[in-house]
Amino acid sequence: MNGLDLAGLTTGPDQTWGSVRLVPLVREQPIEDLRLNAQLYGEELSIVSVEPRVSYISYVPHAFVATWTGDGTPAAAYGTQLGSEGLSEKDTVVRGVPLRLRRGMARRVARKEGNDRLRFLPLHLALEGYLALHFGGPELAWDEWSQRALRHGLSPRCEESYDGYQVRGLDDALRIFEIHPGQCGVLVYVSDALASAFVVPHPEDYRALHATLVQDLYGELIYQYGALMPARDFATARIADAEVRSLADLRAQVARRMDEWAEFHDIVMAGGLLGADDYTFDEVYRLGRFRLRRFLPSFRLHDESHLGEAIVDEAGRLAYLKTFRLSQGQVRRGHLLTRLAASGWNLEHAAKVLSTDAEGLALRLERSGFGYLLRQDVLDHYRAQARRRELT
């Protein structure tokens, strides 16, 4: 599995509000033996222990609970649980901010009738994979790397995102737009930039989870487009009067325009997400005949890059999907880290791969927030070289 495929999902007519466009995804045949529901938390900051001495800290508004059956029979959908339930003795407070320690990004939920429920943190599961990208730092003790880099790697590793309430118009769009019959997903655009894809197994799941989109995380580009871009005049399909002589002609013309719209959308508008075939997938958990996987892009500079998580069945059919669009700064950081790791963290070798020299790579690392990985005297030397070149 190297790409994403929306097979089994049909693109429906879009709805627009200001600069926000929502494109529904309709499933002809719902998936009955896997169901999702939300477990809501409060507004406290959450700490997730992902491995010994490594924690993921973020605002986590809710978790998803996946329920499945092992024999293909329909799974029951459980109701939403409010976040005040289930607090443990490990709940704590740091600097007046209530924190909740979670045992992992994906783990089983205890249930008397067997082990057929999994709780996971949507999007945070994927973002933790991005933050953990080459988290250990240099694998060889080259002279250029600092003692901090060699001992602690990239810790702490931080990135910024925005929740949906900060994306102008998204809250109103989700509140007023129609949910289509059979809708099992949606593609969210802001000023025609793809912000997020969300797919669930069953229409009832989507109706229950539709409102959670405004609590999701969105990238810097999407926040800026929502805040700065004016409302757009979206293209509409037109039918020539001369081609319509009966209701049958009208139905045929409408069907043709809808097919053209779906093809245009999947190839052009969502091409950055669906057209990529070089994602790196990491299997997180098995849920009967389903697999929960998270994925990272190839971090190609100046290309649209999405990360996310997906649940697929044994045939690779998509049951669940949630994505996050990286900013260009985040793409550059991922690009640098992957190229450094592929070069064995050898600065000279990596510089050649990146079509620069050691000085240029060192300064790029500093601009990307990774200057602390280099020894201070090495970084000062490259800075001085750059200043001398500017003066001459």
Side-chain angles (χ1 to χ4, degrees), residues 220-336:
E220 179 183 12
L221 176 72
I222 303 306
Y223 167 77
Q224 291 176 347
Y225 278 14
L228 303 177
M229 294 293 185
R232 301 191 54 166
D233 293 327
F234 295 102
T236 57
R238 299 185 182 279
I239 296 176
D241 297 345
E243 299 179 8
V244 177
R245 292 289 183 269
S246 64
L247 286 176
D249 292 341
L250 182 59
R251 291 191 189 97
Q253 289 296 320
V254 170
R256 182 182 304 173
R257 297 298 180 268
M258 291 182 68
D259 290 342
E260 291 172 353
W261 154 247
E263 182 179 3
F264 169 78
H265 172 269
D266 295 347
I267 295 177
V268 179
M269 294 191 63
L273 174 68
L274 303 179
D277 59 359
D278 51 2
Y279 292 109
T280 300
F281 284 86
D282 175 27
E283 186 166 304
V284 178
Y285 215 90
R286 293 190 177 187
L287 306 83
R289 70 184 186 96
F290 300 96
R291 303 290 184 269
L292 172 61
R293 295 168 174 164
R294 63 184 176 192
F295 58 89
L296 291 172
S298 59
F299 301 108
R300 293 179 180 174
L301 295 180
H302 312 301
D303 280 359
E304 189 176 320
S305 294
H306 301 261
L307 55 78
E309 66 236 7
I311 296 178
V312 296
D313 64 12
E314 68 276 12
R317 184 173 64 150
L318 201 62
Y320 162 78
L321 175 69
K322 189 175 279 289
T323 67
F324 177 90
R325 180 166 181 167
L326 295 169
S327 69
Q328 282 302 308
Q330 291 166 333
V331 173
R332 285 194 296 271
R333 288 189 281 278
H335 180 75
L336 279 174

Side-chain angles (χ1 to χ4, degrees), residues 22 169-177 188 206 210-211 213-214 218:
L22 298 187
L170 181 59
D171 190 11
D172 290 333
L174 292 171
R175 179 170 47 84
I176 66 175
F177 283 173
V188 180
Y206 183 80
H210 173 80
L213 285 164
V214 80
Y218 297 88

